[in-house]
Amino acid sequence: MKKLVIIIRCLLFSLGAAGFSGFILPFLKRRILNIGNLAGLIVCTVILLYSLFLPRIHKFFRLFWEKTTGKIILSIFSIGIIASIVLTVIMSVFMVKAACTKPTENATVIVLGCKVYGDRPSIMLMERLDAAITYLNENTESVCIVSGGQGKDETMSEAECMYLYLTNHGISSDRIYKEDKSTSTRQNLAFSYEIIKKNGLNDNIAIVTNEFHEYRAGKIAEDLGLEYGAVPGATTLWLFPTYYTRELFAILYEWIV
């Protein structure tokens, strides 16, 4: 029994340490700190502490369980953990399914904006743009809408930065429309839809964003009455845990609101 406990503690410690490293890395490398890696760091810290003090914690739980109030609190806590795990699995399945939804040929490409630094796209925006380039080269009759406004700490709009990147990588400017007013995913798609209607473009769209973001973007497209497919950009590994976790909260917010 003692060996089993030691094995469990070692596994939990390894899991917590690996997770903590994964969530702290974006902050150490790029000072990225958001609800995604904050939540991840908190959960991983709890797992680490649990692995280190497991016998004492179990002893406390046994004593607490003997009280009626303790039974109620621990039961609610356990239900909360189980519900969180089930929700995470459900949302993850939806994410994977959405990212695998293939667009039609020669769909109107909508590239959703992301952070820019000067005239350079961020890593995740570059991943989206590279995915868009691949699709546009394979579908020569497609046109592209680059969608994203200018943040307070940005020197140009995300749309302009994306336009420059695409044209510098061989995409003709005649195939690119700029939407430079949006500040959210919903506005990205709503304002891009106005461009589609105004210019008589194909209303079958290909949403270009990171894979974890395709589900939420797709639900917004459905609300607007658009038929869509996904052209996902592959998120670099050291950023994925943080932004995947942040997206879980964003999806939950969309479901509730």
Side-chain angles (χ1 to χ4, degrees):
M1 187 64 181
K2 286 186 178 180
K3 288 184 178 180
L4 179 60
V5 171
I6 292 172
I7 291 171
I8 291 173
R9 293 179 71 179
C10 288
L11 288 174
L12 287 172
F13 183 86
S14 299
L15 176 64
F20 191 93
S21 299
F23 284 111
I24 197 66
L25 192 56
F27 177 75
L28 296 178
K29 291 188 71 167
R30 294 293 174 85
R31 292 297 181 266
I32 296 170
L33 189 64
N34 57 44
I35 192 173
N37 53 351
L38 276 174
L41 288 170
I42 290 170
V43 170
C44 291
T45 299
V46 170
I47 292 173
L48 284 170
L49 291 174
Y50 180 64
S51 69
L52 292 172
F53 301 104
L54 189 147
R56 295 182 184 179
I57 292 172
H58 280 198
K59 181 179 180 181
F60 170 78
F61 282 166
R62 284 195 298 270
L63 294 173
F64 199 47
W65 184 258
E66 293 175 359
K67 302 176 182 179
T68 303
T69 304
K71 284 186 174 69
I72 294 171
I73 293 173
L74 290 176
S75 296
I76 293 172
F77 180 71
S78 299
I79 292 170
I81 291 176
I82 294 170
S84 298
I85 293 171
V86 170
L87 269 175
T88 298
V89 170
I90 291 172
M91 287 188 280
S92 298
V93 169
F94 286 157
M95 285 185 195
V96 172
K97 184 179 178 181
C100 293
T101 303
K102 299 296 183 184
T104 60
E105 291 185 4
N106 296 308
T108 298
V109 173
I110 300 178
V111 188
L112 304 185
C114 194
K115 182 74 176 176
V116 301
Y117 300 98
D119 61 352
R120 296 182 299 104
S122 61
I123 293 173
M124 290 207 300
L125 184 54
M126 193 180 300
E127 290 161 348
R128 299 177 188 187
L129 291 167
D130 288 341
I133 290 168
T134 299
Y135 181 86
L136 289 166
N137 285 335
E138 292 173 352
N139 296 267
T140 55
E141 295 181 20
S142 285
V143 296
C144 175
I145 301 171
V146 287
S147 178
Q150 181 175 344
K152 293 180 180 179
D153 56 347
E154 294 174 333
T155 58
M156 66 169 60
S157 71
E158 294 165 6
E160 181 66 21
C161 180
M162 289 189 278
Y163 174 87
L164 293 173
Y165 188 92
L166 291 177
T167 54
N168 287 336
H169 286 77
I171 304 301
S172 171
S173 60
D174 294 339
R175 300 175 69 189
I176 306 172
Y177 294 81
K178 286 187 281 188
E179 183 290 295
D180 58 3
K181 304 300 181 186
S182 57
T183 59
S184 67
T185 301
R186 186 168 293 277
Q187 288 184 356
N188 285 150
L189 291 162
F191 295 170
S192 295
Y193 187 31
E194 292 301 317
I195 292 175
I196 290 172
K197 291 189 291 185
K198 181 179 178 181
N199 293 277
L201 305 179
N202 185 357
D203 59 5
N204 284 317
I205 66 170
I207 301 174
V208 182
T209 186
N210 292 78
E211 62 276 269
F212 56 81
H213 191 213
E214 290 284 4
Y215 169 70
R216 187 159 56 95
K219 293 299 291 181
I220 294 170
E222 284 182 352
D223 291 344
L224 295 170
L226 290 164
E227 292 187 30
Y228 73 95
V231 179
T235 308
T236 188
L237 186 59
W238 64 272
L239 286 172
F240 185 83
T242 289
Y243 284 95
Y244 161 77
T245 305
R246 189 180 76 163
E247 189 64 16
L248 293 175
F249 286 100
I251 292 171
L252 189 60
Y253 176 80
E254 288 282 343
W255 284 358
I256 294 172
V257 175

